[in-house]
Amino acid sequence: MAFWRSIAFSALLLLLIHHAHCFYLPGVAPQDFQKGDLLQVKVNKLTSVKTQLPYTYYSLPYCSPAKIQDSAENLGEVLRGDRIENSLYAFKMREPQLCNVVCNRKLDAKAAKEFKEKINDEYRVNMILDNLPLVVPLKRNDMDSTVYQLGFHVGLKGQYSGSKEEKFFIHNHLAFTVKYHKDLQTESARIVGFEVKPFSVKHEYEGKWDEKTRLTTCDPHAKHTVVNSNTPQEVEENQEIIFTYDVEFQESDVKWASRWDAYLLMNDDQIHWFSIVNSLMIVLFLSGMVAMIMLRTLYRDISKYNELETQEEAQEETGWKLVHGDVFRPPQNSDLLCVYVGTGVQFFGMILVTMIFAMLGFLSPSNRGGLMTAMLLLWVFMGIFAGYASTRLYKMFKGSEWKKIALRTAILFPASVSVIFAVLNTLIWGQKSSGAVPFGTMFALIFLWFGISVPLVFVGSYVGFKKPAIESPVKINKIPRQIPEQAWYMNPAFSVLIGGILPFGAVFIELFFILTSIWLNQFYYIFGFLFLVFIILIITCAEITIVLCYFQLCSEDYLWWWRSYLTSGSSALYLFLYATFYFFTKLEITKLVSAILYFGYMLIASYSFFVVTGTIGFYACFWFTRLIYSSVKID
């Protein structure tokens, strides 16, 4: 029902395809600032695409306030490793500042080692002002446009001229630019941009250091400001590092509602359209095959076969009719099939509702962690549909112990994912990363699972079991029919592997952008395209399964239940292989722990993809077989 209800919204949703990010409901209400109002910069995690292990900002010996305060984080933020804290960086609205000293630090051996490790692993510092992330603007050489990188590097590696020894330099001077949109009537302003240019400067001063000491390398009175990193600050034991910053304010024409557009700007929308067209070609090809099968089988069978048909054609057409007495025989491990189908329904509902909310703008990046939180909660509440679907199928297989199926549906998939997650979380704990899920959050996840999801699965199962059993359109023979020897291309393993290629082919271009957003810290907010690709994936999974199921039945092999699930579900294998290819070609991960994390999370993603696509294929084949066998008269 959820799927058909969503079709009613499709006209509205398609309007959002090209500029999905232009229409969104912000995560926070706009805040107006008068001139001189205090602007407090918050610091977030340190991130690296080389290690994929986030750390808290104060895990490095940066300048810290007397009391470090955590901002309240939602479930999604905690799971992403976000740790938002207060900082010593404070501005006054529309009042430029030059050479503000944050603090003076003398590095000991431990501090120098920590900074060097983070610089070597290319860690970036993330900050937030008025819910906007700090970005470094970079001009693109190939076109006249600016791209934004989230956060600035802790430092950089380099060599002094004439020396081959590699040194580490820290970015200790930050030139902030705060962009604002001014209200001409009230003189108040709203922040619409937060940018930085980091510099490494070995600051100098005269005399002994105290709070009133003036720097000779950065003195606004002498109009001597930092514009380059020609005399960089080296990271070594006993080195004195002075952290400073400038801030300038720029008026902007960008309105508050559009301030995220620069972050979400899509320069490669042609590739997405190519992806859609490529996928549609696959769909048209499969639709043609399905239409041909329908016309050749159903139309002729319903009209009781044309008498002028040749004997050879009649024999070809009746291949699938011969197995009518066995086609609805319950499969081996039918209980497990019921559990997987129920889990797939749960996932399908979660993905569909999440995409609709995302396209309507409720899950924009301004609502940090909102996407993950929404997916978790929707997964929990979709448990009622999982219980219903698994028990309906179980009752059709003449099952009577509905509580057993409900429990397995509620436990099997989450338990297997939890085991992988627990191993990965232990590894992250061992690295002392902020990405490790705290015990409090772990308890909240367990509560969501056992306190809400499991009871809802039982409620759905109870309702499903009370419904009348689904009747088979034809009677089942008491003695199973012998399956004739199959041609090599009808071998189960071969046909299953072939079946997964086209569904994967329909999504792999979009998959590249999703992997890039997850592992290379980029924003993904083109849910219009993603929704279209998801619809194409559904159609592709359904059609390839129907086509292969028809060929299987024509060769008098009636064991279609599991094969229909595995046919489209095998696309998950190709997803994992593509993830492996992506790891070796696009990522620069060198640490073993980081590699285990990547493959662990991609294993969970592939397993989830298997459950969703398998369920789509199963229901398509289930509908197809019931349709063709109920449409002909069986003697």
Side-chain angles (χ1 to χ4, degrees), residues 247-259:
V247 57
E248 68 165 320
F249 290 86
Q250 284 182 7
E251 192 167 354
S252 171
D253 294 329
V254 176
K255 292 186 177 177
W256 188 90
S258 306
R259 65 180 188 163

Side-chain angles (χ1 to χ4, degrees), residues 189-241:
R190 292 175 177 176
I191 293 169
V192 294
F194 186 34
E195 299 174 2
V196 71
K197 287 182 182 174
F199 298 100
S200 180
V201 183
K202 185 171 177 59
H203 284 304
E204 294 173 356
Y205 56 91
E206 294 174 353
K208 285 190 173 183
W209 178 264
D210 60 41
E211 289 182 7
K212 295 181 180 178
T213 301
R214 271 193 193 178
L215 301 172
T216 56
T217 45
C218 187
D219 188 356
H221 301 283
K223 294 185 178 177
H224 190 284
T225 56
V226 176
V227 290
N228 56 49
S229 299
N230 289 346
T231 54
Q233 174 63 61
E234 197 177 325
V235 178
E236 283 297 342
E237 187 180 352
N238 296 323
Q239 281 277 358
E240 186 180 37
I241 300 178

Side-chain angles (χ1 to χ4, degrees), residues 285-475:
F285 166 70
L286 286 172
S287 298
M289 289 194 72
V290 171
M292 187 179 71
I293 288 168
M294 290 295 187
L295 285 170
R296 288 189 62 185
T297 58
L298 292 181
Y299 180 73
R300 291 181 183 180
D301 280 341
I302 292 167
S303 59
K304 298 178 183 177
Y305 292 88
N306 192 330
E307 288 180 10
L308 299 175
E309 235 175 19
T310 65
Q311 188 63 32
E312 188 181 337
E313 281 178 329
Q315 190 176 356
E316 178 194 337
E317 298 291 71
T318 53
W320 58 271
K321 277 185 72 180
L322 296 174
V323 294
H324 66 83
D326 298 276
V327 77
F328 293 105
R329 187 181 303 283
Q332 288 185 323
N333 297 316
S334 58
D335 289 9
L336 188 62
L337 180 65
C338 297
V339 169
Y340 269 108
V341 168
T343 305
V345 168
Q346 188 174 6
F347 249 111
F348 184 84
M350 177 198 77
I351 293 169
L352 191 70
V353 177
T354 301
M355 279 196 195
I356 291 170
F357 274 116
M359 290 182 69
L360 293 174
F362 289 102
L363 304 176
S364 87
S366 64
N367 185 7
R368 197 174 289 100
L371 182 65
M372 193 172 285
T373 306
M375 288 178 75
L376 269 171
L377 293 177
L378 282 169
W379 160 264
V380 166
F381 290 115
M382 288 293 163
I384 194 165
F385 297 106
Y388 181 83
S390 60
T391 311
R392 288 283 283 153
L393 193 61
Y394 177 68
K395 193 171 183 181
M396 181 188 167
F397 292 148
K398 304 291 187 285
S400 57
E401 299 176 24
W402 68 269
K403 290 177 185 175
K404 182 181 76 173
I405 284 296
L407 185 65
R408 288 176 70 179
T409 305
I411 298 293
L412 183 69
F413 181 86
S416 51
V417 168
S418 297
V419 169
I420 301 171
F421 182 74
V423 171
L424 298 179
N425 201 51
T426 305
L427 289 173
I428 301 172
W429 268 110
Q431 297 293 311
K432 297 178 182 174
S433 165
S434 68
V437 177
F439 286 113
T441 308
M442 199 76 83
F443 179 78
L445 291 173
I446 291 169
F447 172 75
L448 285 173
W449 178 12
F450 286 101
I452 301 175
S453 181
V454 172
L456 284 176
V457 171
F458 272 88
V459 169
S461 293
Y462 177 77
V463 173
F465 199 72
K466 286 294 178 186
K467 290 265 185 182
I470 302 168
E471 294 294 332
S472 299
V474 288
K475 287 183 179 180

